[in-house]
Amino acid sequence: MAGIKDVAARAGVSVATVSRVLNGHSGVRADTRSRVLSAVSELRYRPNAVARSLRTDQTRTLGLIISDVLNPFFTELARAVEDAARSRGYSVIIGNADERLALQDHHVRTLLDRRIDGLLVSPAEGDSVALREAALSGIPMVFVDRWIEGIDVPVVRADGRAAVRELVGHLYGLGHRRLAIITGPVATTTSNERVEAFRSALREYGLPLPEAYIGQGDFQTESGRRVTSAFFGLDEPPEAVFATDNLMALGVMDELRLRGLRVPDDMALAAFDDIAWFPHIDPPVTAIAQPTPELGHRAVAALTDLVEGRSADSVTLSAHLIPRRSCGEDERSRR
Amino acid sequence: MAGIKDVAARAGVSVATVSRVLNGHSGVRADTRSRVLSAVSELRYRPNAVARSLRTDQTRTLGLIISDVLNPFFTELARAVEDAARSRGYSVIIGNADERLALQDHHVRTLLDRRIDGLLVSPAEGDSVALREAALSGIPMVFVDRWIEGIDVPVVRADGRAAVRELVGHLYGLGHRRLAIITGPVATTTSNERVEAFRSALREYGLPLPEAYIGQGDFQTESGRRVTSAFFGLDEPPEAVFATDNLMALGVMDELRLRGLRVPDDMALAAFDDIAWFPHIDPPVTAIAQPTPELGHRAVAALTDLVEGRSADSVTLSAHLIPRRSCGEDERSRR
DNA sequence: CTGAAAGCGCTTACAG
DNA sequence: CTGAAAGCGCTTACAG
C-alpha cells in the first residue's frame, strides 16, 4: 500500500507538502497542489488513519454503547446516531452490552483504548467502574435514554412519565382495575421512572399496586415470559400488564400463546417503545412511542459539542401514547 | 493519561521491559514482572491501541458491512458476528450500508483507512469499486449472506433454494395458483437466487410467472408497500405473495391494512427470513428461516482463518420453511 | 511557499 | 534477563 513518502516522491515534493494539501491547508502553490493530487490518485493513496490519529491525538470516532442490539429501539437509535455522526464527519463504533455490566465495561475500555473522541452511552444496570473512570478521565461523554446517578454528564432522553400516566388513565377507562407492570433491571433509570410513574398514577386512580404485580424483568424477552408465568400463578392474576419495553412485551405474548391464552381477553397488554410490527400484531399493540431518531440526533449534537470544546446541556423530549387494541379498546365493537 | 514511560519510570525499568510483560513475553524475571504489574495498576495504565496498531500493523479489529441495521436479520447476524469475534480476541466495527452502494463504499474505505485486519461484507446492489479494490489489495475478506460475482473470496451463506421450492409446493397445496414475488435489488445474489428458485418451482407445478407478478423491490419496507399497491392495480391480482425479505413483508402488511384488506383472505403472504414477531402477527407469518447465528459464527471463523494466515473455504448452510397461517393454512378450521 | 526534523506511544530486533 | 535505539506513517512548529 502506498504511503505518504511514495506520494511525495512521485510529486517531487516533501511529505510535509503532501500532508498540507491533504489537510486542505492554504498556502500551497496551485501547481504543486495539483501535482500532489495527481500523485495521490495515481497511486490510489489513502492516508493511514491510525498514524494520523496517533499524531493528532484525535480519531474522529465516537463510541456508542447500547444496551441490546436485538432491541429495535436501540437499533433505531444506533441508526440515527450513525447518520448524525457521519454528517458531522465522525465515524461511530457500536458496542453491544447485551444488558450485561461486564460486557458493557469491556466495551468502554476497548473503546477508550482506541482513543475514541467521545462516548455515547445507554448504561446497563449496576455500578460501572469503567464508566466512572471514563467520566473522571474527562473524555467527552453523554448519556442517551438511560443514565447513571452521580455521573455528571449531559443526558439526552425522553421523559415517559406523562405518557405512562396517560396509559394508566386509558387502562382505567377501559375498565381494568388490576394493573401490573414488568420492570427493567432494578437500577436502570428508565425502568425506575416508568415504575414510579405507574405507581403514582395508580394511586391517583385509587388503585393498589401489590408487590406481586410488580414483575422483576431485565428488558429482555425471556424475562417477560417468566414474569407472565408468575402472574398466572397468582390467585388473582392481573387484568392488564404494562411491559416497560418491547422485548418483554414479546415475552408476554410468547407465554400467553404457550398457554393458549389471548390478548386482551385473558390479559391486556401495553408496551413501552413503539415498533414497526406492533400495528400488525394480533391484536395491534398499544404502546408508548419515543422520538427515537431525534434522541439520536440530539445526543450526537451534544456529544460533538463537547468533543469540539463547546458546552452541552441535557435535553428532555417527551413520549406519547398510541392506543391500539391490545388493551381491549375494541371491546364494544367485538361484542 | 499515563503512558508506558510513566509505568517504566515507576517500576524502575525500561519501556521495553514494560512492553514485554504487557505482551506476555516469557523471559522477564518474576520480580521485575510483578513490579511492572504493580506500576501498571497503580497508574491505571492502559496501552494506547492506536500506537500499538501503528507499530504492529494489526488492529485486532474486523469490519462488518451490513446491508441494513433496521432489518432484524442483519441485526441478529451482527450480534453473532460480534460474539464470535470477541471470543477470538477481535473487536468489530459495523458499517450500515442502508442498501446504498455509495454509503457502503464510504464505509469500506473508512474501515480500510483504519487498517482493520479483515472485512466481512454483505454487499449492496451494484458494482462496488471500493470492494473490488479491497479484494485486490489483498485484505482478508469474506462475504456473508450476499456476495459479488467475480470477487474471489469465501462466501458464507444459506442456500434458500430448497426452502423456496418447498414454499411453492406448500402454496400450491393450499390451492393458490396465482403466485407473485417481491424481489430485492436486481443485482443482489440472494434476491436472484430466491427469484430463480421461485420461477423454476412454478414451472415444475405448471404455473405461469407473468412479468407483472415479479414486483421489483429493494429489500426495504417501502418497496413492499409500493409493489403491493401495483399488484392490486392488476386485472387479476395475485392470490399469494412471497416477499423475499421480512421488511418487504412488513410493507405488504402495511399496504393491505391501509386498504382495509386482510391476509390471507385477500392475499396470502410468505416471507424470507423468520423473525421473533412473526408468530404473533395477525395472522402468524409463514416464513423461511435461515440459521442466522451460525452464519455469523462461520463467517467469523473463515475470516479469522484468513487473517491469521490459514486458508478458508466457502460454507453453505440451508434454510427451512416454517408454515404458519398467513398463506391460508387454517382455512379449513376457520370455515 | 516549501523542506528538514521532531515526535505521537508503542514494539522489537540487536547487544550485552 | 534487560536496555538503547530504530521505526511504524503521519503532522506541525520552525526555518528559510
Side-chain angles (χ1 to χ4, degrees):
Chain A
M1 216 169 224
I4 197 173
K5 282 186 202 163
D6 304 302
V7 176
R10 177 143 197 152
V13 298
S14 72
V15 296
T17 298
V18 175
S19 177
R20 286 190 191 99
V21 350
L22 254 21
N23 291 291
H25 292 189
S26 60
V28 176
R29 234 170 45 207
D31 65 317
T32 102
R33 184 181 150 71
S34 75
R35 258 186 306 139
V36 168
L37 259 13
S38 324
V40 164
S41 70
E42 283 162 19
L43 296 173
R44 307 197 149 289
Y45 169 71
R46 303 228 90 212
N48 181 327
V50 173
R52 175 178 283 177
S53 291
L54 179 60
R55 182 55 232 246
T56 60
D57 202 31
Q58 54 165 18
T59 50
R60 298 296 291 180
T61 301
L62 269 20
L64 168 66
I65 308 274
I66 57 176
S67 312
D68 188 355
V69 243
L70 262 25
N71 186 144
F73 166 73
F74 286 113
T75 233
E76 193 181 353
L77 182 68
R79 149 80 120 114
V81 164
E82 208 272 328
D83 282 351
R86 183 159 27 82
S87 78
R88 287 172 162 80
Y90 290 85
S91 298
V92 3
I93 305 185
I94 301 173
N96 170 36
D98 203 18
E99 300 287 2
R100 285 146 56 194
L101 183 63
L103 186 48
Q104 163 187 287
D105 280 13
H106 164 85
H107 281 127
V108 343
R109 293 203 170 93
T110 302
L111 256 16
L112 295 185
D113 289 350
R114 280 156 194 278
R115 299 306 192 262
I116 50 163
D117 293 340
L119 187 61
L120 218 50
V121 16
S122 178
E125 179 191 23
D127 176 35
S128 169
V129 177
L131 245 22
R132 275 197 333 235
E133 288 181 356
L136 249 39
S137 83
I139 184 174
M141 181 163 151
V142 356
F143 286 129
V144 231
D145 183 50
R146 324 213 282 222
W147 71 94
I148 294 180
E149 229 49 84
I151 296 187
D152 187 32
V153 303
V155 4
V156 175
R157 65 181 193 104
D159 184 334
R161 287 176 295 186
V164 170
R165 198 176 165 290
E166 193 183 346
L167 170 64
V168 170
H170 179 71
L171 258 13
Y172 189 92
L174 258 12
H176 298 117
R177 293 297 177 268
R178 296 201 307 275
L179 312 186
I181 188 169
I182 306 181
T183 75
V186 296
T188 48
T189 50
T190 43
S191 174
N192 290 346
E193 175 178 291
R194 291 163 201 175
V195 174
E196 281 320 307
F198 190 72
R199 190 196 307 277
S200 87
L202 288 198
R203 199 157 33 218
E204 275 181 56
Y205 283 91
L207 263 24
L209 181 60
E211 266 311 306
Y213 280 10
I214 304 179
Q216 177 63 57
D218 61 8
F219 281 148
Q220 295 185 306
T221 308
E222 185 51 36
S223 72
R225 202 180 304 199
R226 180 173 32 76
V227 169
T228 304
S229 176
F231 283 157
F232 281 110
L234 262 26
D235 287 344
E236 274 203 327
E239 298 162 327
V241 169
F242 170 38
T244 55
D245 88 341
N246 76 80
L247 255 21
M248 296 192 298
L250 213 207
V252 173
M253 292 187 278
D254 282 344
E255 180 64 24
L256 253 24
R257 168 165 308 254
L258 221 61
R259 294 174 174 253
L261 265 22
R262 284 191 51 82
V263 173
D265 308 75
D266 298 299
M267 186 177 272
L269 173 66
F272 206 101
D273 292 334
D274 190 34
I275 67 164
W277 304 99
F278 277 178
H280 301 290
I281 298 291
D282 177 23
V285 181
T286 292
I288 292 175
Q290 302 195 55
T292 316
E294 192 180 354
L295 241 27
H297 293 148
R298 301 291 286 266
V300 169
L303 185 57
T304 52
D305 278 345
L306 255 27
V307 168
E308 293 163 12
R310 296 182 295 276
S311 67
D313 293 317
S314 289
V315 357
T316 305
L317 306 174
S318 58
H320 67 282
L321 181 69
I322 301 182
R324 284 195 270 247
R325 316 186 134 204
S326 62
C327 298
E329 288 87 345
D330 56 348
E331 281 232 321
R332 261 154 302 164
S333 59
R334 281 191 304 132
R335 280 198 176 143
Chain B
M1 217 169 225
I4 196 173
K5 281 186 203 160
D6 304 300
V7 177
R10 176 141 196 153
V13 298
S14 72
V15 296
T17 297
V18 175
S19 177
R20 285 190 192 100
V21 350
L22 256 20
N23 291 289
H25 292 188
S26 60
V28 175
R29 234 168 46 204
D31 65 317
T32 101
R33 185 182 149 71
S34 74
R35 259 186 304 139
V36 168
L37 258 14
S38 324
V40 164
S41 69
E42 284 161 20
L43 297 173
R44 307 197 150 289
Y45 169 71
R46 301 228 92 213
N48 181 327
V50 173
R52 176 178 283 177
S53 292
L54 178 60
R55 183 53 233 244
T56 61
D57 201 33
Q58 53 166 18
T59 50
R60 297 296 293 180
T61 301
L62 270 20
L64 169 65
I65 309 274
I66 58 177
S67 312
D68 188 355
V69 243
L70 263 24
N71 186 145
F73 167 73
F74 286 112
T75 233
E76 192 181 353
L77 183 68
R79 149 83 120 110
V81 164
E82 207 272 329
D83 282 350
R86 182 160 26 81
S87 79
R88 286 174 163 81
Y90 290 84
S91 297
V92 3
I93 305 186
I94 300 173
N96 170 35
D98 204 18
E99 300 288 1
R100 285 145 56 193
L101 184 63
L103 186 47
Q104 163 187 287
D105 280 13
H106 164 84
H107 281 126
V108 344
R109 293 204 170 93
T110 302
L111 256 17
L112 295 185
D113 288 350
R114 281 157 191 276
R115 299 305 192 262
I116 51 163
D117 292 340
L119 188 60
L120 220 47
V121 17
S122 177
E125 179 191 24
D127 177 34
S128 169
V129 177
L131 246 21
R132 274 197 333 230
E133 288 182 354
L136 249 39
S137 82
I139 184 174
M141 181 164 151
V142 353
F143 286 128
V144 232
D145 184 50
R146 323 213 282 224
W147 71 95
I148 294 179
E149 226 54 80
I151 295 186
D152 187 31
V153 302
V155 5
V156 175
R157 66 181 192 104
D159 184 333
R161 286 175 296 186
V164 169
R165 197 176 165 288
E166 193 182 346
L167 170 65
V168 170
H170 179 72
L171 258 13
Y172 189 92
L174 259 10
H176 298 119
R177 294 297 178 268
R178 297 199 307 275
L179 311 187
I181 187 169
I182 307 180
T183 76
V186 296
T188 48
T189 49
T190 44
S191 173
N192 289 346
E193 175 179 291
R194 291 162 200 175
V195 173
E196 281 320 307
F198 190 73
R199 190 196 306 276
S200 86
L202 288 197
R203 199 156 34 217
E204 274 182 57
Y205 284 90
L207 264 23
L209 180 61
E211 266 311 305
Y213 281 11
I214 305 178
Q216 177 64 54
D218 61 9
F219 281 147
Q220 296 184 305
T221 308
E222 184 51 37
S223 72
R225 200 179 306 199
R226 179 173 33 76
V227 169
T228 304
S229 174
F231 283 158
F232 281 110
L234 262 26
D235 287 343
E236 274 203 326
E239 297 161 325
V241 169
F242 170 39
T244 55
D245 88 341
N246 75 82
L247 256 21
M248 297 192 297
L250 214 207
V252 173
M253 292 187 277
D254 282 344
E255 180 65 24
L256 252 25
R257 167 165 309 254
L258 221 62
R259 293 172 175 254
L261 265 22
R262 286 192 47 82
V263 174
D265 309 75
D266 299 298
M267 186 176 273
L269 173 66
F272 206 101
D273 291 336
D274 189 34
I275 66 164
W277 304 99
F278 277 177
H280 302 289
I281 298 291
D282 178 23
V285 181
T286 293
I288 291 175
Q290 301 196 55
T292 316
E294 192 180 352
L295 241 25
H297 293 149
R298 300 291 286 265
V300 170
L303 185 57
T304 53
D305 277 345
L306 254 26
V307 168
E308 293 163 12
R310 296 182 294 276
S311 67
D313 292 318
S314 290
V315 358
T316 305
L317 305 174
S318 59
H320 67 282
L321 181 68
I322 301 182
R324 283 194 271 247
R325 315 185 135 205
S326 63
C327 298
E329 287 87 344
D330 56 347
E331 282 230 322
R332 262 154 302 165
S333 58
R334 280 191 305 132
R335 278 198 177 147

